[in-house]
């Protein structure tokens, strides 16, 4: 995967009097060329017997996506003065940016090579992008760039707003089904129900709810686990900037 810092690219173009869409297209094109070169290196390694998982058939090099990752989309929109909400202006901005990537993905696709675009989790790089951009004098509204189409600490957005932008505290089975139906209706095919799990540091008890106290031993020495790219991880094991971002995150409750 190669990740494009959208916030930096768009700001660089605007500050230097360039059309940011043309500049970003050149960056995206370069990423595709680098990915093609990387893919050729994989083929060379395989020819020399250095990729046993490929040889064993676990991975098919012709069916492996070459990923163009993006980060800093929300921050780029904020720089452009666009409010992060379900509005025609923001939707058009998002569609324009991701459309540039999709266009190149189709252009470079062959029978042997496939590309995709991913809004990466950015557990570490989101922090690094913000740090590096701030050091270089760019507009940086937070210490960790968002990994979504919405601002994670924004309490004004409902679950339905997040589905619409692309996508709750613990909900009942019927509510899960309703949200799945909303996802289908809104065309949101990539989302998760991210419920913080409480883990007691004293007795080790794990609860599927977001609690301030262990329900087993009543200790208040608790930690939380949340989903990161497909697996649960302790928040205390996040990097410090990521822990600060995690503390700002807003989770919907039963009544909101």
């Amino acid at each position: 995967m190669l990740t494009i810092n959208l916030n930096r690219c768009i700001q660089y173009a605007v500050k230097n009097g360039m059309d940011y869409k043309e500049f970003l297209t050149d960056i995206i094109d370069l990423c595709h060329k680098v990915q093609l070169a990387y893919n050729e290196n994989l083929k060379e390694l395989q020819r020399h017997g250095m990729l046993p998982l490929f040889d064993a058939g676990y991975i098919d090099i012709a069916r492996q996506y070459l990923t163009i990752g993006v980060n800093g989309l929300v921050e780029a929109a904020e720089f452009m003065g666009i409010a992060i909400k379900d509005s025609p202006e923001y939707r058009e901005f998002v569609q324009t940016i991701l459309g540039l990537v999709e266009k190149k993905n189709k252009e470079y696709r062959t029978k042997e090579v496939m590309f995709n675009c991913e809004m990466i989790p950015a557990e570490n790089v989101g922090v690094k992008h913000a740090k590096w951009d701030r050091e270089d004098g760019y507009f940086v509204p937070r210490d960790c760039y968002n990994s979504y189409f919405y601002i994670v600490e924004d309490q004004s957005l409902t679950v339905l707003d997040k589905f619409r932008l692309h996508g709750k505290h613990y909900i009942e089975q019927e509510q899960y089904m309703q949200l799945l139906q909303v996802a289908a209706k809104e065309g949101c095919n990539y989302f998760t129900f991210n419920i913080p799990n409480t883990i007691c540091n004293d007795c080790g008890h794990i609860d599927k709810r977001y609690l301030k106290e262990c329900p087993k031993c009543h200790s208040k020495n608790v930690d939380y686990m949340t989903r990161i790219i497909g697996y649960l991880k302790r928040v205390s094991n996040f990097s410090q900037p990521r822990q600060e971002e995690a503390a700002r995150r807003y989770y919907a409750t039963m009544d909101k």
Side-chain angles (χ1 to χ4, degrees), residues 3-254:
T3 299
I4 300 172
N5 182 347
L6 296 173
N7 190 35
R8 188 182 186 100
C9 287
I10 290 174
Q11 287 193 53
Y12 178 86
V14 171
K15 289 182 177 181
N16 286 276
M18 295 182 282
D19 184 317
Y20 75 82
K21 292 184 287 292
E22 292 182 2
F23 177 75
L24 192 55
T25 296
D26 290 340
I27 296 296
I28 295 168
D29 187 75
L30 178 61
C31 286
H32 281 77
K33 290 175 179 175
V34 172
Q35 285 286 49
L36 288 176
Y38 168 78
N39 202 54
E40 290 303 312
N41 284 337
L42 286 180
K43 293 178 181 178
E44 182 69 17
L45 292 173
Q46 187 174 18
R47 283 194 289 269
H48 288 82
M50 300 176 69
L51 297 177
L53 292 179
F54 285 74
D55 294 336
Y58 289 106
I59 306 174
D60 183 349
I61 198 167
R63 303 299 300 171
Q64 176 179 253
Y65 280 102
L66 301 176
T67 300
I68 306 299
V70 293
N71 184 231
L73 177 65
V74 163
E75 289 71 23
E78 290 176 303
F79 166 75
M80 298 294 289
I82 301 172
I84 312 303
K85 61 182 181 179
D86 183 20
S87 66
E89 183 182 24
Y90 183 52
R91 285 200 301 271
E92 181 181 1
F93 177 78
V94 171
Q95 291 169 357
T96 296
I97 300 303
L98 298 185
L100 297 176
V101 180
E102 182 62 22
K103 182 178 180 180
K104 286 296 179 180
N105 285 349
K106 293 179 179 178
E107 179 182 324
Y108 276 90
R109 178 169 181 165
T110 67
K111 292 181 178 179
E112 297 181 347
V113 180
M114 299 188 301
F115 289 87
N116 71 330
C117 177
E118 180 180 333
M119 200 108 170
I120 65 165
E123 181 182 7
N124 291 313
V125 79
V127 175
K128 293 177 180 178
H129 280 168
K131 177 178 180 293
W132 295 334
D133 288 353
R134 181 176 286 116
E135 289 173 350
D136 289 341
Y138 289 98
F139 166 77
V140 178
R142 56 190 56 85
D143 293 333
C144 179
Y145 287 172
N146 279 267
S147 302
Y148 305 93
F149 292 130
Y150 55 86
I151 300 173
V152 297
E153 63 267 26
D154 187 354
Q155 298 187 23
S156 69
L157 297 175
T158 67
V159 174
L160 300 186
D161 290 328
K162 293 177 181 180
F163 270 117
R164 294 188 182 105
L165 288 171
H166 177 19
K168 203 164 169 190
H169 205 76
Y170 193 79
I171 55 179
E172 302 296 334
Q173 183 176 348
E174 291 182 2
Q175 293 172 301
Y176 275 117
M177 289 303 301
Q178 289 173 350
L179 288 176
L180 288 171
Q181 290 170 1
V182 170
K185 179 180 178 181
E186 298 294 340
C188 177
N189 60 356
Y190 189 82
F191 69 95
T192 185
F193 297 106
N194 199 356
I195 304 166
N197 286 212
T198 303
I199 179 170
C200 179
N201 291 322
D202 290 333
C203 74
H205 178 75
I206 298 175
D207 196 288
K208 295 292 292 183
R209 296 168 295 175
Y210 185 53
L211 305 173
K212 301 295 184 182
E213 177 183 295
C214 174
K216 185 176 181 180
C217 73
H218 303 291
S219 170
K220 290 182 170 55
N221 180 22
V222 296
D223 196 2
Y224 302 101
M225 294 188 294
T226 186
R227 177 185 176 274
I228 296 294
I229 51 176
Y231 60 89
L232 289 174
K233 183 175 181 179
R234 281 178 177 261
V235 172
S236 60
N237 289 337
F238 289 5
S239 64
Q240 188 58 41
R242 266 297 181 190
Q243 289 188 47
E244 294 170 1
E245 190 240 27
R248 294 195 303 271
R249 289 193 171 201
Y250 170 68
Y251 292 96
T253 57
M254 290 289 287

